[in-house]
Amino acid sequence: MDDDTEDRGRVLLPIARSSISTALGQPADADESAPWLAEPGACFVTLRQNRQLRGCIGTLEAYRPLLQDVKANAQAAALRDPRFSPLKRAEFSQIQIEVSLLTPKETLQFTSEAHALEQLQPDVDGVIIEYGRHRSTFLPQVWEQLPSVAEFMLHLKQKAGLPGDFWSEELAIYRYRVSKWAEKYDEKGKE
């Protein structure tokens, strides 16, 4: 990892933590002066508590400055992920924050489901599927729990509200990559 990439993590993680802290009524500051924060960016913010998922919200396409995206997604992951109750102030010191910065999505071209699956790179690709009003994504980190391409796709379809064996020539599949940074469990809360 180059210094620039590491430096971005040192900037983004405190911004995410500060944003959640402020939303919980404990205003906190973080350095927001890096010029690249004003450029459009898309990210996901993932929260873990005791190494278990506690919230994950993100943006698939850059449409606002990265600074705004990180802050909004951090607060949404803490307070508005529909899978979890809102984070309480007492839990805040127990969470670990991860920020994943997404590359622009790439459309996969394929002639069959098997052809599409051959193109996916486990542990590297984040994947988006779309069919009509059905849409879902898994970050590359999900490969850790679902290492087989077939199983990964089955769960991605189910997340979108489609049957696991669903296939249509009209299914759109995209991939993207991420740069990610996570607080270490012994560092959370430190500035």
Side-chain angles (χ1 to χ4, degrees):
M1 182 180 296
D2 65 31
D3 288 340
D4 183 51
T5 302
E6 257 183 66
D7 288 345
R8 287 182 186 233
R10 285 190 202 110
V11 171
L12 293 170
L13 289 168
I15 289 171
R17 183 164 282 281
S18 162
S19 182
I20 296 168
S21 183
T22 299
L24 292 172
Q26 300 174 313
D29 291 322
D31 181 5
E32 300 177 0
S33 64
W36 50 266
L37 289 168
E39 297 171 9
C43 76
F44 270 71
V45 176
T46 304
L47 308 180
R48 297 191 195 291
Q49 186 174 31
N50 299 320
R51 301 190 191 276
Q52 300 298 311
L53 183 66
R54 180 61 176 86
C56 183
I57 299 286
T59 308
L60 291 171
E61 296 183 41
Y63 70 94
R64 60 185 169 190
L66 179 58
L67 176 63
Q68 290 177 16
D69 204 59
V70 170
K71 290 173 142 185
N73 292 337
Q75 288 184 11
L79 304 173
R80 292 184 294 283
D81 186 325
R83 300 168 291 181
F84 301 96
S85 61
L87 188 74
K88 293 180 177 27
R89 193 183 292 188
E91 296 175 281
F92 182 61
S93 65
Q94 302 164 17
I95 63 163
Q96 177 209 25
I97 299 171
E98 179 178 284
V99 176
S100 299
L101 184 58
L102 280 63
T103 63
K105 68 183 183 181
E106 169 194 345
T107 304
L108 287 187
Q109 304 295 326
F110 49 86
T111 55
S112 66
E113 183 173 18
H115 184 223
L117 297 182
E118 286 172 8
Q119 296 177 57
L120 297 179
Q121 297 178 54
D123 299 319
V124 175
D125 291 334
V127 181
I128 303 165
I129 61 169
E130 291 179 351
Y131 178 76
R133 62 179 178 77
H134 301 275
R135 183 179 191 191
S136 65
T137 190
F138 279 150
L139 293 169
Q141 295 89 307
V142 175
W143 290 105
E144 295 169 16
Q145 289 88 42
L146 302 170
S148 114
V149 175
E151 187 180 17
F152 187 91
M153 185 58 77
L154 177 136
H155 284 273
L156 191 56
K157 289 176 191 176
Q158 291 173 337
K159 183 180 177 187
L162 298 166
D165 61 355
F166 175 82
W167 183 252
S168 168
E169 291 178 6
E170 296 171 13
L171 182 72
I173 304 175
Y174 308 92
R175 70 174 159 203
Y176 57 88
R177 307 272 167 88
V178 302
S179 295
K180 70 175 180 137
W181 305 272
E183 295 174 330
K184 292 182 175 59
Y185 281 94
D186 60 349
E187 287 182 30
K188 63 184 184 295
K190 289 185 182 176
E191 297 195 20

